[in-house]
Amino acid sequence: MSCNTLCNDALRPTTDVQRNLSFWDYTLLWAGMTINIGGFAVGGQLYPGLSPVSIILAVIVAYTIVSALLVLNGDMGLKYGVPFVIYLRACFGIKGAIIPSVIRAIPCFFWFGFQTWIGALAVQKLMAIWFGTDFTVNLYLLIGLFAMLQVWNAVGGLKSMARFAWLAIPLMVIFFASTIMWLLKTHDSSMADILSAPAHNTYSFPFAVAGIAGVWITMALNSSDLGRMIRRPAGFEKKHFWHRQKLTIGGQFLGLIVIGSLVIMVGMVSGILTGEWNPVDVIIKTFHDTSPAIMAAALLTIVFAQWSTNTTANLMPATYIVMALHPTLTFRRATIVSAVIGLLICPWLFAEQLIPFQVGCSVLLGPIIGIMLADYYLVRRRQIDIEALYDEDNQAAWQFPALLTLLVSAGAGLLTVLLIPEHGIGYSFYTAFILSVVMYPLIMRYERQDKGRVKLLNAH
């Protein structure tokens, strides 16, 4: 493949030699991503706006939707080895792809900074336990140091992140399961009491599903970035679609649905029994009467949880986006740039507005993944000309069908909020996503394409 201004070694299609993720690597990466403060906080903040039973059902529905989107959108990486940011150029054009890339980068930067802040808070409390309450370290210094550690881990690539997950995930699963049992014991409650807890029912069920799914719609967009690194068995090309997806489906079931549901359950139980959504505050309230060693172990687990999530779910996607916007940057430098941006925006200032933020992101991200799926399955019929994707002479700068669909679909999602004041925000994601899937192929069917686009579409 010839090199041009669109080239970057990290963005080229992966070869079979480069695909080094096993089933358990993939599963643990997903488990590491789902054990995060976002899921914990959403579980804590949904109550009492929704009943515990409704929250559990919302988790199941949301993660089923996300898993389906992950499998469908990840096929382009599994089959062709191309990353998310490169395929965006095919849909939106070389310059047009900047718009969805920036939209996708916003939650990456937000969550990296937010979870680094949470991890730094845990480290600060941990140091107070070890060295005494008189020993204090500036929180912002800890944020910077913790960010540097995560960058160091991330520049080693997905395999390096998977090695960390092998160490961290078993510890975190034990901790979260223990936290539920400890909370129930210390508050003299049972799961039956939790499930029957009264709720205000101020949230609609679709709103809860969108809020939970919104955390992972971001990774559904980037699922090809993971898929392109998965090992493929011999004869992969001859296998049918669902047989090829067995590894990804199994990994997402264990790592996302099972582990992710546990995390939200812990957050929900913590919110009901302690009134807190911040896991650091939950730990202090829950384990304050125990030995310092237990408190320290619990806080250290929170640090690991942020670390394992941030590298894979936030830094890696942001890094690919930064490289796509500035192809001369190396993976290392793009990772550093992404981390710096995530800290500079100070997302911890918006800690009380996580669910509205996630739903808002889903309204903007839903049309993007809808356009990508429609383009890959309905327009191209899963056939891609790889050479053309990396050849600036064979692509237009702007692809207006995708840009128009994004504008109209996102606008329709926001209009849903305005027209249905009480519950419209709960339906805004579905409106935007479904409209984009329907609208884009219809426009493409009747749109007169330029020469480069015709080459790309007709390459079978």
Side-chain angles (χ1 to χ4, degrees):
M1 182 178 296
S2 61
C3 189
N4 53 50
T5 57
L6 301 183
C7 273
N8 184 305
D9 287 342
L11 298 177
R12 296 175 186 272
T14 49
T15 64
D16 286 336
V17 175
Q18 293 171 314
R19 295 171 182 263
N20 56 8
L21 289 184
S22 67
F23 169 76
W24 289 112
D25 287 335
Y26 183 77
T27 301
L28 287 172
L29 279 173
W30 265 109
M33 287 188 281
T34 53
I35 300 179
N36 69 85
I37 299 311
F40 190 100
V42 167
Q45 292 185 4
L46 279 174
Y47 183 85
L50 208 62
S51 71
V53 173
S54 295
I55 292 174
I56 294 172
L57 292 176
V59 171
I60 296 172
V61 172
Y63 282 164
T64 300
I65 293 173
V66 170
S67 294
L69 294 177
L70 284 163
V71 169
L72 292 173
N73 209 40
D75 187 66
M76 60 191 70
L78 190 63
K79 185 176 181 180
Y80 294 101
V82 296
F84 156 76
V85 290
I86 295 299
Y87 195 83
L88 274 183
R89 295 171 179 170
C91 304
F92 291 87
I94 297 173
K95 293 183 178 179
I98 295 174
I99 296 173
S101 294
V102 170
I103 294 174
R104 170 62 185 98
I106 291 172
C108 289
F109 297 143
F110 179 93
W111 282 113
F112 173 79
F114 183 85
Q115 296 191 146
T116 299
W117 168 68
I118 291 288
L121 278 177
V123 171
Q124 191 179 54
K125 300 292 184 183
L126 191 60
M127 296 180 77
I129 293 173
W130 284 342
F131 304 110
T133 54
D134 293 334
F135 183 87
T136 59
V137 179
N138 183 273
L139 178 61
Y140 290 100
L141 175 61
L142 292 176
I143 289 174
L145 292 174
F146 188 39
M148 290 172 61
L149 276 175
Q150 295 171 87
V151 169
W152 169 77
N153 182 220
V155 296
L158 279 175
K159 192 65 178 178
S160 174
M161 301 176 203
R163 292 192 191 101
F164 177 77
W166 276 96
L167 168 66
I169 302 310
L171 296 176
M172 290 188 285
V173 171
I174 293 171
F175 163 73
F176 277 104
S178 300
T179 299
I180 285 185
M181 292 186 289
W182 195 283
L183 282 169
L184 293 174
K185 179 181 178 181
T186 55
H187 289 81
D188 194 25
S189 297
S190 65
M191 282 307 299
D193 297 327
I194 296 297
L195 295 177
S196 61
H200 299 161
N201 293 319
T202 53
Y203 292 150
S204 69
F205 186 80
F207 174 83
V209 172
I212 296 167
V215 178
W216 297 114
I217 292 299
T218 54
M219 277 309 295
L221 279 168
N222 284 90
S223 55
S224 60
D225 294 338
L226 291 178
R228 67 198 290 259
M229 301 304 296
I230 295 174
R231 292 175 189 163
R232 300 192 307 187
F236 171 85
E237 294 80 4
K238 298 178 181 180
K239 301 180 184 298
H240 61 76
F241 179 83
W242 294 111
H243 194 271
R244 292 203 304 263
Q245 300 292 341
K246 285 196 304 183
L247 186 150
T248 57
I249 293 173
Q252 285 155 22
F253 174 77
L254 294 175
L256 173 61
I257 296 178
V258 175
I259 301 299
S261 297
L262 172 63
V263 173
I264 290 185
M265 284 282 291
V266 175
M268 181 187 73
V269 172
S270 299
I272 292 173
L273 296 180
T274 70
E276 299 286 352
W277 62 263
N278 187 327
V280 176
D281 295 332
V282 171
I283 285 173
I284 293 172
K285 280 190 174 184
T286 304
F287 299 108
H288 67 281
D289 291 330
T290 63
S291 69
I294 294 177
M295 179 82 81
L299 290 170
L300 194 59
T301 303
I302 295 299
V303 176
F304 279 168
Q306 306 328 297
W307 188 334
S308 65
T309 300
N310 261 348
T311 51
T312 310
N314 299 319
L315 268 184
M316 182 195 69
T319 297
Y320 280 130
I321 291 170
V322 170
M323 283 193 300
L325 298 178
H326 201 301
T328 58
L329 286 177
T330 62
F331 188 88
R332 179 191 182 96
R333 291 180 178 178
T335 302
I336 295 172
V337 169
S338 301
V340 170
I341 294 174
L343 298 183
L344 289 178
I345 63 175
C346 301
W348 46 86
L349 299 177
F350 309 95
E352 299 295 332
Q353 303 297 323
L354 296 182
I355 295 178
F357 172 76
Q358 284 303 123
V359 176
C361 285
S362 70
V363 173
L364 295 174
L365 297 173
I368 298 175
I369 192 171
I371 290 167
M372 292 179 68
L373 291 175
D375 188 78
Y376 183 64
Y377 288 97
L378 302 180
V379 176
R380 302 177 192 276
R381 307 292 181 181
R382 297 173 45 232
Q383 301 297 319
I384 302 177
D385 185 339
I386 298 297
E387 291 289 339
L389 281 176
Y390 291 83
D391 187 351
E392 54 192 335
D393 295 329
N394 274 307
Q395 294 191 67
W398 305 89
Q399 293 292 355
F400 291 101
L403 294 169
L404 178 61
T405 301
L406 174 60
L407 178 63
V408 173
S409 300
L414 296 175
L415 188 61
T416 303
V417 178
L418 297 176
L419 294 178
I420 313 176
E422 292 187 2
H423 301 293
I425 191 171
Y427 296 96
S428 55
F429 162 74
Y430 311 102
T431 301
F433 173 74
I434 294 172
L435 181 58
S436 66
V437 173
V438 174
M439 181 177 175
Y440 179 75
L442 289 178
I443 296 177
M444 289 298 294
R445 182 177 179 180
Y446 297 104
E447 176 73 12
R448 188 180 300 275
Q449 304 301 314
D450 61 43
K451 182 178 178 181
R453 180 68 173 180
V454 169
K455 285 183 179 180
L456 201 58
L457 286 173
N458 292 339
H460 290 279

